[in-house]
Amino acid sequence: MIARLLLTLLALALAACAPLKPQPTTEKRYSAAELLALRPADFSWPAMSTAGERAQREAALADIRARIALPPGPERDAALPKLFDLVAQYNLEIDAARPLLLQALPTLASRDVDYQRALLTAARALYAAPNEAAVQAALQPLLTQLTASKPFAIAAYTLKAMNPGYAEFIRDLVPRQFPQWRDDPRLVALMGDVAPVRMAQPPLADLLAAPLRPGLPVIYSLQRRGRADMGLVLVRAADGRFVRDASGRLFAQPQLALSRSGLPGTITNGNTPQGVFTIVGAGTATNPNIGPTPYLHSKLPIEATVAEFEHADSSIEWSEAAYESFLPPSWRAYSGIKEAWQAGRAGRDELLIHGTTLNPAYYAGTSYFPGTPQQGCMISNEDWDPATGRLLASRQLTLAQTYAAVSPRQDLAGYLVVVELAGEGAVSPAEAAAQVLAAGR
């Protein structure tokens, strides 16, 4: 019975961070008071027990090997997108899967856009270092044949990640291949990424002190550029002061905003985009990789109406100026903080603040361990009892309750700001505290 259940969960686990709805279901929503009443022991997840996790992993491994063993032909071609998703999620059989991807890349120009996107995303996820020259040799000519902006941008970002020298090639190619590129948010973001000169980031203190909309709390997610290291999450109360404990120590706990693909935030299943989100409540997801711990429901511009961003009645239509109104003046011309705006325009949605039911051991040895990257959401670690699958401790629940405790409204209305910091290594509490101190001045 448990094996059958886990196979079903595995089939669902490959979707994005959005709550899955495979059948009609009523999702539990939480008020601030309900959220504050929860305890870790209220939650359990069978797949997080040692036996459950092993069964899920073995099912994934069997699926991967069955797909790799398929002979060349239409059946194997159809099996590749899910194969590469499983390989990236579980870090299994990567060396066996890479040759199949390398064989498929030169054929992508004749494939449909969704297939192109899936395999190009896999190229970015699975070829961070090995055989880069072979992948570059396949992607550079392919780039000139791609006519849809999403797969084009994915291929371009992958080429540049492997060799920054491709920036000029991409910068020259975009206007020739897409004359109307300024109307496409993905290409606008891409051209900003390959620009020869970038605007310096404004003072972070200005952003940390910005009112956004007075009287509402704000979550700040401080992340490194590239997202390969763990970030930190802070909470600013409705009165404008950052949350501290009884000893005066700043609330600052680890959070990962890295996707498995490592692609930028305007790309489907890419990293969490920089910028301002609105928070519109809390709920329990149906995605098995998120698990039962309540998520905070964050929304991008466009995905949310202007009224949802204002948390008040509004008849205003979305525009870049409307988005900029949530930023302090010093940040309004900075393109980096507008990634959330461009991501919303590009159709990204349901990037939630949530916990995780993925085993950190899958990512042992990475710079972001014990983080568990997924498909673009903001993820806090959780500890599960290996014997029973019951939740023992949850940074996600701690974050959600810290936010709820300073929320003046039961609907948890407020904001999320994701911003990147220069530097290397995990963002430290001391670094965050120094920035908060500067904002206080």
Side-chain angles (χ1 to χ4, degrees), residues 315-373:
S315 59
I316 296 174
E317 296 293 328
W318 271 116
S319 66
E320 190 167 352
Y323 176 76
E324 288 175 352
S325 74
F326 291 89
L327 299 169
S330 61
W331 281 76
R332 290 175 184 170
Y334 181 59
S335 61
I337 204 66
K338 295 182 182 179
E339 190 178 28
W341 162 246
Q342 300 290 9
R345 291 183 62 219
R348 290 206 74 180
D349 58 12
E350 295 185 318
L351 302 183
L352 309 175
I353 304 167
H354 66 73
T356 180
T357 57
L358 294 181
N359 188 344
Y362 300 156
Y363 310 101
T366 63
S367 55
Y368 51 82
F369 179 82
T372 58

Side-chain angles (χ1 to χ4, degrees), residues 239-298:
D239 64 5
R241 292 182 292 183
F242 281 84
V243 173
R244 298 177 181 273
D245 63 20
S247 68
R249 183 173 54 188
L250 183 72
F251 173 84
Q253 69 174 27
Q255 186 185 63
L256 191 67
L258 169 73
S259 73
R260 284 197 291 271
S261 73
L263 287 163
T266 52
I267 302 297
T268 302
N269 296 343
N271 298 335
T272 312
Q274 275 196 98
V276 182
F277 298 62
T278 186
I279 295 177
V280 296
T284 295
T286 55
N287 184 323
N289 286 352
I290 294 177
T293 311
Y295 64 81
L296 290 172
H297 194 170
S298 46

Side-chain angles (χ1 to χ4, degrees), residues 22 41 53 72 97 141 174 183 215 304 314 325 347 358 361 365 387 393 400 416 425 438:
E53 191 275 332
V174 168
D183 298 327
S314 177
S325 74
L358 294 181
L416 162 72

Side-chain angles (χ1 to χ4, degrees), residues 398-433:
T398 299
L399 172 59
Q401 291 180 328
T402 300
Y403 175 80
V406 298
S407 175
R409 293 170 46 164
Q410 287 299 306
D411 65 359
L412 299 165
Y415 297 97
L416 162 72
V417 178
V418 180
V419 61
E420 294 179 348
L421 278 62
E424 297 181 355
V427 180
S428 71
E431 185 177 0

